[in-house]
Amino acid sequence: MITALDTCILVDVFEESPDYCDASKKALKKCMKEGALVACPIIWTETASRFSEEAFFFQSMAMLRVNFSEMTENVTLFAAG
């Protein structure tokens, strides 16, 4: 299975949100066990904007095994439902 991530989950974990970090970590761990984690260009950009150092962003995404995933027109339309 492949899980497409949303920015809020990543930010909860990376910024250690007092309200949502634990729940977001639990959800990420579950998804990691089930398969790959991906982030589309929008999520990648929104998450990266929260980091002051590019290298630390890439290390953090690698630590969670989040892969960059381009979106084609077909995928975008399919995701829209």
Side-chain angles (χ1 to χ4, degrees), residues 5-62:
L5 299 174
D6 190 50
T7 306
C8 63
I9 298 297
L10 294 167
V11 170
D12 287 346
V13 172
F14 292 141
E15 294 183 359
E16 298 183 352
S17 164
D19 296 322
Y20 303 108
C21 185
D22 290 340
S24 293
K25 281 183 182 179
K26 184 178 178 179
L28 276 175
K29 286 179 184 179
K30 179 181 182 293
C31 292
M32 289 169 84
K33 288 178 184 176
E34 295 175 352
L37 303 178
V38 297
C40 72
I42 295 167
I43 304 307
W44 201 263
T45 301
E46 289 175 346
T47 304
S49 73
R50 307 300 282 250
F51 286 77
S52 59
E53 295 181 37
E54 184 178 303
F56 187 56
F57 165 71
F58 284 111
Q59 289 172 348
S60 298
M61 295 296 267

